[in-house]
Amino acid sequence: MKKKELILFLQFLIIIVSLMTSAEAQSNPDVTIREIMFDPPNSIIDKPQDAFRCVNDSSCQWIEIYNNEDFAVDLSQWKVKTETKTDGIKEYDFGDFILQPKSFLVIATQLEDEDADGFSFARLYGDKDGIWNTNVDGFNAVDSNVPFFATPDLFSGLNTFEHIELKDGSGNTISAIIFFSYYTDPVNVQRNNGYTM
């Protein structure tokens, strides 16, 4: 093989490898769960026991994700998978969204006031008018059908966990976290409800 042909062949191989790497990155993008907020009611007293709790159970639960990539990621077929002691394993949809490079998105349990109780994510954040508009409220948020995490009855020595996964349209787990909603010291106490990863 002549030197010129060899150079052209090597350039062709570099382009093919680059395209394959790009396709692989886009099929398994680096999108991570960065923060969660949960405000579960305790099933015994039917309200949170946390001194740091939010205003209302229908106002303060979300999952914040971040796109670490240099390209936009289409989240339209993605789901949130949860595993809890009380509800088992479930998968939930959230609003269609194209997440831009190096950008955040909040997936809220109740973005606006769907149950008409006067509380919602949009009532507590942004301009607090109860209607979410990214241009006005300052950051991206979408609604979801993820229910509020229920904290089960716990007894001495038990420490239940909540498991959350972000899954792409093919069912691949892109990001996952496990957190404990209670700790025992010496009795069961609900943990602070905000977690930054």
Side-chain angles (χ1 to χ4, degrees):
M1 187 179 285
K2 294 179 182 176
K3 185 176 181 182
K4 186 176 181 181
E5 290 174 343
L6 179 60
I7 290 170
L8 288 173
F9 178 72
L10 290 173
Q11 288 175 335
F12 175 74
L13 279 179
I14 290 169
I15 290 169
I16 294 298
V17 169
S18 176
L19 289 173
M20 290 173 61
T21 303
S22 176
E24 175 66 20
Q26 292 190 30
S27 65
N28 293 294
D30 186 9
V31 177
T32 55
I33 298 171
R34 281 287 184 92
E35 186 173 282
I36 59 171
M37 174 67 78
F38 76 106
D39 191 23
N42 176 270
S43 56
I44 299 173
I45 60 175
D46 198 32
K47 63 182 180 180
Q49 298 183 136
D50 190 339
F52 303 101
R53 67 181 297 265
C54 296
V55 174
N56 182 282
D57 283 332
S58 62
S59 63
C60 270
Q61 181 174 278
W62 75 78
I63 301 164
E64 180 187 273
I65 64 175
Y66 183 74
N67 181 4
N68 295 289
E69 300 289 5
D70 294 322
F71 53 85
V73 178
D74 183 356
L75 305 176
S76 59
Q77 301 298 314
W78 288 38
K79 295 185 181 296
V80 172
K81 177 181 174 181
T82 65
E83 180 180 353
T84 65
K85 187 172 182 178
T86 51
D87 296 327
I89 300 172
K90 302 279 176 66
E91 286 190 2
Y92 301 100
D93 294 319
F94 57 92
D96 292 352
F97 194 81
I98 295 178
L99 187 56
Q100 296 303 314
K102 313 301 182 197
S103 295
F104 291 94
L105 175 68
V106 169
I107 302 169
T109 291
Q110 183 171 272
L111 186 61
E112 296 183 2
D113 191 9
E114 291 93 358
D115 60 7
D117 66 353
F119 294 96
S120 67
F121 185 89
R123 182 65 67 187
L124 290 176
Y125 301 96
D127 66 1
K128 303 181 181 182
D129 66 351
I131 300 168
W132 195 261
N133 182 322
T134 295
N135 294 332
V136 176
D137 293 311
F139 60 94
N140 297 315
V142 293
D143 208 359
S144 74
N145 61 1
V146 179
F148 291 100
F149 298 123
T151 303
D153 295 349
L154 293 173
F155 302 97
S156 180
L158 296 180
N159 193 358
T160 191
F161 67 91
E162 317 285 347
H163 184 173
I164 301 172
E165 292 182 20
L166 185 63
K167 301 184 81 69
D168 69 11
S170 299
N172 300 310
T173 298
I174 301 299
S175 184
I177 61 165
I178 295 175
F179 67 95
F180 290 96
S181 57
Y182 269 76
Y183 65 90
T184 304
D185 185 29
V187 296
N188 294 307
V189 179
Q190 186 170 309
R191 295 175 67 92
N192 186 336
N193 54 14
Y195 289 79
T196 298
M197 306 308 146

